[in-house]
Amino acid sequence: MKTMPWRDFIALVASIGVVGLGLGATIPLTALTLDSRGIGTDIIGMITAASAFGILAAAPFVSRWTASHGPRGSMIAAIIAGGLSTALMEFTDSLICWGLLRFIFGAAMGVLFTIGEAWVNRLAPVNSRGRVVAMYTTSFTLFQLIGPALVAQMEGRVSMPFAVCGALFLLALPGMVLISGGAHEDDDEPHVSWQRVLPRMLMIVAGAAFFALFDTLALSLLPLYAIRHGIATELALLSATVVLVGDTALQFVFGWLADHVGRRKVHTGCGIAVCVLLPILPFAAGTPWLWWSVLLMLGATAGAIYMLSLVACGARFNGQSLVAASAVVNASWGITSSGGPLLTGVLMQTVGINALPAVLWCGAAIFVGTAWWEYRQGYIERQESKVAPSTS
């Protein structure tokens, strides 16, 4: 990691961290405000899903925007759009306008995540990419965790909370200015379409889609699942927080293991661990220490699947192909996070409450299956050797 351009990395992480803080504050603030106005959970869910559709809608165009305006210019525009779309929610009560603003917000977040994930992969030295990407994802998740606490502190004390949250995003702009202009030497490359990279990243897409499903279900339906299993409401609401703590705390450990043991082994191993842990969940609900332990381990291993999917993007692609691959990752996130909770909620209502771990198990099993298929084909080794030869 001695060759790491630390100034650029710290500036990028600081900017994305601020975005995570604003994102973590905006999501619960939106839901709480609508609920206080007597809006039903179905409408709240639709407005929340508008952000995921925005991410999906922006994904096909990010590579072209980056090729035309550069990564820094595109990210600055997205930061401003995200801040403005949040602040404008303060000045209208129209649900249609809120849905449109959340759609714009989601599109801006999709641009930021796509370029940021590609950028950190470009900055990372080949032999320490796992640790570098882990620091990036850990910082984002940590700041996102602080967001709900910030909303709680603003409750009753701030008269214009959406305007304050919108202003938070603008605090990311100084970090963008500090990043050196030479961080992307391939800005002049023509854009690469997502259709060209998708066939080469089946395992990556499966990993990102699984974590998107896991993340959205943990935040939305896991507390309800815990309550239905007899866990007190106050403790059930902590379940999602415990999952995020596990995700935050152990990412660097998995990144270090991936760099030293082998990324494919750790990546696939995390998928297998999730498949082993999920069937324990229904039985763990009656034993507090086991419940919290399983949730911590699930958060850690599921988060590592996503983190190592980003690492695999950097190992397989470079230049504008890397931007296109990151856009595909975020498109898979948008698709799964918008449709996954709806499908799981219906199954939990019709089949039973344990449909939640069953759906997640299927997602993890698909990821493990694609990893096994790529390994059998020798695909991972061929792709990584072309882009990231060993530098031991």
Side-chain angles (χ1 to χ4, degrees):
M1 297 175 70
K2 294 180 180 179
T3 60
M4 179 78 177
W6 285 107
R7 190 190 76 170
D8 290 347
F9 177 73
I10 292 171
L12 177 63
V13 167
S15 298
I16 292 296
V18 171
V19 170
L21 177 62
L23 181 64
T26 302
I27 292 175
L29 179 62
T30 301
L32 289 172
T33 303
L34 289 171
D35 183 68
S36 68
R37 289 167 52 187
I39 305 299
T41 55
D42 53 343
I43 302 299
I44 294 174
M46 291 173 62
I47 291 177
T48 302
S51 295
F53 287 115
I55 293 174
L56 181 60
F61 307 103
V62 178
S63 180
R64 189 181 301 276
W65 292 337
T66 306
S68 300
H69 305 293
R72 181 161 54 186
S74 299
M75 288 187 77
I76 288 173
I79 289 169
I80 294 172
L84 285 176
S85 61
T86 300
L88 289 174
M89 295 174 70
E90 195 72 64
F91 306 103
T92 178
D93 290 331
S94 169
L95 294 179
I96 295 176
C97 288
W98 272 41
L100 178 60
L101 289 171
R102 295 305 293 174
F103 179 87
I104 295 171
F105 176 83
M109 293 302 100
V111 173
L112 284 169
F113 298 150
T114 296
I115 300 175
E117 290 163 3
W119 206 330
V120 74
N121 261 312
R122 289 174 172 178
L123 292 174
V126 171
N127 59 352
S128 56
R129 181 175 279 122
R131 284 164 286 174
V132 170
V133 175
M135 286 189 284
Y136 171 87
T137 56
T138 297
S139 299
F140 177 82
T141 308
L142 179 61
F143 274 94
Q144 191 177 21
L145 269 172
I146 299 172
L150 181 63
V151 172
Q153 290 300 313
M154 289 193 297
E155 182 72 24
R157 297 184 178 92
V158 177
S159 59
M160 302 178 71
F162 283 102
V164 171
C165 286
L168 282 177
F169 288 99
L170 302 183
L171 296 177
L173 294 177
M176 288 289 100
V177 175
L178 289 174
I179 300 176
S180 63
H184 282 268
E185 66 277 3
D186 47 20
D187 290 348
D188 295 330
E189 287 185 7
H191 103 95
V192 176
S193 67
W194 63 269
Q195 293 94 333
R196 287 180 57 186
V197 299
L198 179 59
R200 299 161 55 192
M201 52 186 302
L202 295 180
M203 181 192 73
I204 296 171
V205 169
F210 163 73
F211 183 71
L213 179 66
F214 179 87
D215 188 58
T216 51
L217 292 183
L219 291 173
S220 58
L221 296 179
L222 180 61
L224 175 61
Y225 178 83
I227 291 171
R228 295 286 181 85
H229 275 283
I231 296 176
T233 302
E234 295 80 5
L235 295 177
L237 292 173
L238 288 175
S239 297
T241 302
V242 171
V243 169
L244 288 175
V245 168
D247 180 13
T248 305
L250 294 176
Q251 291 313 291
F252 187 81
V253 174
F254 283 111
W256 184 90
L257 282 172
D259 287 338
H260 289 81
V261 177
R263 294 164 192 161
R264 178 184 56 80
K265 292 179 181 178
V266 177
H267 204 182
T268 308
C270 287
I272 294 172
V274 170
C275 288
V276 172
L277 289 167
L278 281 169
I280 301 174
L281 203 58
F283 306 100
T287 309
W289 69 265
L290 183 58
W291 173 257
W292 302 121
S293 299
V294 170
L295 291 184
L296 278 171
M297 291 186 289
L298 278 173
T301 50
I305 289 174
Y306 181 70
M307 181 268 292
L308 292 171
S309 293
L310 300 184
V311 172
C313 271
R316 296 189 188 190
F317 304 100
N318 54 23
Q320 290 297 327
S321 294
L322 178 56
V323 177
S326 296
V328 170
V329 167
N330 282 282
S332 68
W333 183 287
I335 293 171
T336 312
S337 61
S338 58
L342 177 62
L343 173 63
T344 307
V346 171
L347 289 175
M348 289 172 68
Q349 187 70 31
T350 57
V351 178
I353 196 69
N354 286 317
L356 175 66
V359 168
L360 290 173
W361 190 91
C362 290
I366 291 171
F367 164 71
V368 173
T370 57
W372 177 83
W373 181 84
E374 287 194 350
Y375 172 68
R376 292 280 294 180
Q377 299 297 315
Y379 184 83
I380 295 176
E381 289 74 14
R382 287 201 302 272
Q383 294 298 336
E384 292 192 355
S385 64
K386 289 178 183 179
V387 179
S390 174
T391 57
S392 58

